[in-house]
Amino acid sequence: DVKVTQSSRYLVKRTGEKVFLECVQDMDHENMFWYRQDPGLGLRLIYFSYDVKMKEKGDIPEGYSVSREKKERFSLILESASTNQTSMYLCASKTSGIGHNEQFFGPGTRLTVL
Amino acid sequence: KQEVTQIPAALSVPEGENLVLNCSFTDSAIYNLQWFRQDPGKGLTSLLLIQSSQREQTSGRLNASLDKSSGRSTLYIAASQPGDSATYLCAAPNQAGTALIFGKGTTLSVSS
């Protein structure tokens, strides 16, 4: 079974702190994604990566950056956390190829910024 | 730009009932569509992935259909159980095919 893990289930940080959210997948998938989920807004794509050291902005990249130094790991970085970044963060991965588009998700990290 | 809509937003049914969840998408040039389940406070679990060449996909009591020409997909749940209570999300690829666009989900409650 594909497994996607996230470093923390719950995280509480203070405004202005630098925050790292880590995601690891064990299926050698080329593509990895970071979404945030908010009530009434659904899931929105922050960033994705299609290869090591490659990244693409999603729909809401402002205030975030990402790092993909190894194929299995994709990190989301909040350079200076703000209260409006309080949210549920979900990581996903999938293999490449048009016929292979099933995305697999991690358990999520609920981040609270005070 | 791909947009995905799910109706209804919430649904309550008694145990044992068969039910249908609806999903519509605006860009019909998709090569697949995926249905997910999400329990409160948890991540997403993939239920079914339908390729554009398929019209239906089945897993246990779940059956998903895809009609690209009308921009619609349905998730049919047979003989619903309280354990089916969750939020169900459908997602279609964006126009570039690089990521998924999600509907806002249908929250299902099955009472015993």
Side-chain angles (χ1 to χ4, degrees):
Chain A
D1 280 352
V2 174
K3 194 162 186 182
V4 181
T5 57
Q6 296 183 230
S7 52
S8 305
R9 290 300 311 278
Y10 301 95
L11 210 52
V12 180
K13 295 293 182 181
R14 297 214 173 268
T15 301
E17 280 192 76
K18 190 169 186 175
V19 182
F20 292 86
L21 302 183
E22 304 284 340
C23 176
V24 176
Q25 50 93 6
D26 66 357
M27 283 300 291
D28 203 36
H29 285 169
E30 293 82 7
N31 301 279
M32 296 187 74
F33 306 83
W34 275 107
Y35 296 86
R36 64 177 282 177
Q37 185 177 30
D38 301 287
L41 296 176
L43 273 89
R44 294 177 292 167
L45 181 66
I46 304 171
Y47 266 98
F48 69 97
S49 168
Y50 53 89
D51 202 350
V52 175
K53 296 191 186 296
M54 306 304 288
K55 60 186 179 184
E56 292 283 344
K57 293 180 180 179
D59 298 319
I60 51 164
E62 297 77 18
Y64 303 94
S65 62
V66 290
S67 173
R68 184 128 181 244
E69 296 297 317
K70 293 185 177 181
K71 191 175 187 180
E72 67 270 19
R73 187 179 299 270
F74 192 34
S75 302
L76 180 69
I77 303 155
L78 287 65
E79 297 290 343
S80 178
S82 63
T83 55
N84 63 13
Q85 292 178 310
T86 291
S87 186
M88 175 71 136
Y89 289 87
L90 293 160
C91 175
S93 73
K94 75 175 184 75
T95 190
S96 287
I98 288 183
H100 304 280
N101 213 49
E102 187 172 8
Q103 280 197 21
F104 298 90
F105 279 79
T109 295
R110 182 161 295 282
L111 172 67
T112 301
V113 183
L114 302 175
Chain B
K1 182 180 176 183
Q2 180 71 278
E3 294 181 6
V4 179
T5 304
Q6 291 186 249
I7 295 174
L11 184 62
S12 292
V13 299
E15 182 177 6
E17 194 161 300
N18 301 325
L19 57 101
V20 174
L21 307 181
N22 296 294
C23 172
S24 61
F25 47 93
T26 54
D27 181 2
S28 61
I30 60 172
Y31 42 84
N32 55 41
L33 183 139
Q34 196 167 356
W35 281 93
F36 295 88
R37 168 185 172 138
Q38 186 176 31
D39 294 292
K42 301 288 179 65
L44 277 66
T45 300
S46 179
L47 295 174
L48 290 164
L49 174 72
I50 318 174
Q51 303 292 353
S52 60
S53 57
Q54 301 173 307
R55 299 225 15 128
E56 290 188 357
Q57 186 74 265
T58 298
S59 176
R61 294 181 294 108
L62 305 180
N63 176 277
S65 67
L66 176 62
D67 184 347
K68 286 180 55 178
S69 62
S70 66
R72 292 181 181 178
S73 177
T74 60
L75 180 67
Y76 174 83
I77 302 177
S80 59
Q81 302 171 357
D84 295 331
S85 298
T87 296
Y88 291 82
L89 296 152
C90 75
N94 61 9
Q95 286 183 318
T98 51
L100 291 177
I101 304 297
F102 284 82
K104 292 184 180 177
T106 295
T107 298
L108 173 66
S109 176
V110 181
S111 56
S112 56

